[in-house]
Amino acid sequence: THSYTKYNSWDKIQSWIASISSSNPNLISKQVIGNTYEGRPMTILKLGKKSSSTKPAIFMDCGIHAREWISPAFCQWFVKEALSTYGSDSQMTSLLDQMDVFVLPVFNVDGYDYTHKSNRMWRKTRSKKSGSSCIGADPNRNWNAGWSSSNPCSDTFCGYSPESEIEVKNVADFIRRNKSIIKAYLTIHSYSQLLLFPYSYTYDLAEHHSELLKVAEGASAALRSLYGTRYTSGPGATTIYPAAGGSDDWAYDLGVKYSYTFELRDTGRYGFLLPESEIKPTCEETMLAVKYIAAYLLCTS
Ligand SMILES: Nc1ncc(C[C@H](C[SeH])C(=O)O)cc1Cl
Ligand SMILES: [Zn+2]
Ligand SMILES: [Zn+2]
Ligand SMILES: [Zn+2]
């Protein structure tokens, strides 16, 4: 059975999506935005008090990279916390009353399933192209943001063209369709304990650099207040490494101002193999950072 404190298989997550999305019609619904390369459904959960009028929204995806298992664990945790604390937690209640939160629990479903069944360290999609023996592209190098070509056998292969990966195209299409209401884009990764924002594809500072840094530092402080976990905030290029084709840079250039990449626990002791015993503390502290960003949006909108 599904557990919020275990790394659930895709089958368990899929049945969890079906049950959680029909558990509270006033607060949650689901929409399939397309299928993956191997035909698995990409399902977005829409959280928020049902309203006849359109509300501003936050978009959050997890599991772009298959081996970063703490990431989908956090999206599942977020959905559970949202539904269970709505009405009791004032921040969550006002968030869901005034905004919608679109949650994509597992972005790279084929890759996630592959890490459970075959290769725990797989990162990319599982797409195949005639003429190459190498499989998959890095879905965080495949966005049309400073995109340039690279080696198909690399773990960070950027794909044959921007949005060549159907998973990326499905999400990019959804965000484009909803760009007038999406105020923030959060993409959850691991590991390193970083809160990154644009740009990674250039060393140039983003137009809203100072504000993005201020919000990131506030969110990191909120996160640190629970267990003392230390995060570093900054632009991707100088804080982790320069790289093109990332989702946060693409969303920012589309006009989604508050665009952040979270790199969750840890800093290398376990890395991608973070023990299940750390799921709860990692998720609880990350909730504080996400709620900080959401509260900032509500206060400044
Ligand atoms: N725009 C970006 N933002 C964040 C990152 C870091 C993640 C960390 Se796993 C990655 O390498 O894809 C990489 C890029 Cl290209
Ligand atoms: Zn990643
Ligand atoms: Zn990472
Ligand atoms: Zn909690």
Side-chain angles (χ1 to χ4, degrees):
T1 54
H2 178 276
S3 167
Y4 290 108
T5 56
K6 290 191 182 312
Y7 296 120
N8 297 294
S9 66
W10 166 240
D11 292 347
K12 285 182 183 159
I13 296 174
Q14 190 171 19
S15 52
W16 170 82
I17 287 170
S19 60
I20 198 95
S21 59
S22 52
S23 71
N24 189 332
N26 283 323
L27 283 179
I28 186 170
S29 62
K30 74 175 177 185
Q31 49 190 302
V32 176
I33 60 166
N35 291 335
T36 65
Y37 180 85
E38 293 180 333
R40 296 179 176 88
M42 296 178 70
T43 307
I44 286 181
L45 295 171
K46 180 182 179 181
L47 293 165
K49 185 183 170 194
K50 192 181 277 301
S51 160
S52 52
S53 61
T54 306
K55 295 150 75 183
I58 295 169
F59 183 98
M60 180 164 72
D61 63 52
C62 288
I64 272 194
H65 289 137
R67 64 191 177 194
E68 299 167 8
W69 284 7
I70 187 61
S71 170
F74 176 68
C75 269
Q76 294 165 73
W77 190 278
F78 181 87
V79 172
K80 181 258 300 178
E81 286 272 306
L83 296 182
S84 62
T85 63
Y86 178 84
S88 59
D89 179 290
S90 58
Q91 264 195 331
M92 186 59 77
T93 305
S94 60
L95 168 57
L96 298 183
D97 281 347
Q98 299 176 59
M99 300 187 80
D100 289 325
V101 186
F102 294 111
V103 179
L104 176 57
V106 187
F107 187 117
N108 179 5
V109 192
D110 297 346
Y112 184 77
D113 193 57
Y114 191 72
T115 58
H116 277 261
K117 294 175 177 169
S118 305
N119 177 353
R120 175 69 182 78
M121 292 305 280
W122 191 257
R123 171 182 165 103
K124 300 190 286 182
T125 63
R126 293 293 301 164
S127 60
K128 296 160 190 63
K129 171 115 176 171
S130 58
S132 173
S133 58
C134 294
I135 291 178
D138 183 340
N140 207 34
R141 300 292 183 279
N142 190 235
W143 299 74
N144 201 3
W147 189 90
S148 66
S149 63
S150 63
N151 172 358
C153 298
S154 156
D155 230 11
T156 56
F157 174 48
C158 55
Y160 292 96
S161 62
E163 300 183 21
S164 60
E165 302 310 297
I166 186 61
E167 296 85 0
V168 171
K169 173 124 182 59
N170 289 338
V171 177
D173 284 346
F174 178 87
I175 295 173
R176 275 189 285 260
R177 279 200 302 276
N178 293 283
K179 72 178 192 176
S180 61
I181 62 167
I182 294 174
K183 304 305 174 194
Y185 172 74
L186 308 179
T187 183
I188 314 299
H189 292 246
S190 78
Y191 61 91
S192 294
Q193 294 174 200
L194 305 172
L195 188 41
L196 306 171
F197 50 87
Y199 287 107
S200 293
Y201 72 66
T202 176
Y203 285 108
D204 294 351
L205 294 186
E207 181 195 347
H208 304 104
H209 172 82
S210 54
E211 187 183 5
L212 290 172
L213 179 59
K214 182 184 72 171
V215 175
E217 286 176 339
S220 301
L223 187 151
R224 187 164 68 245
S225 72
L226 194 55
Y227 302 116
T229 307
R230 294 190 169 283
Y231 269 59
T232 303
S233 302
T238 51
T239 310
I240 189 165
Y241 31 62
S247 63
D248 54 0
D249 288 353
W250 177 83
Y252 183 79
D253 284 342
L254 185 71
V256 181
K257 181 172 160 186
Y258 303 98
S259 181
Y260 290 99
T261 296
F262 282 74
E263 281 271 81
L264 303 186
R265 290 191 192 182
D266 59 15
T267 55
R269 182 176 178 198
Y270 295 102
F272 303 116
L273 309 182
L274 192 71
E276 290 184 331
S277 59
E278 293 204 38
I279 294 175
K280 184 178 186 304
T282 300
C283 292
E284 288 289 17
E285 67 189 12
T286 308
M287 285 300 299
L288 301 181
V290 172
K291 286 164 74 172
Y292 178 94
I293 294 170
Y296 182 87
L297 292 172
L298 286 174
C299 279
T300 55
S301 55

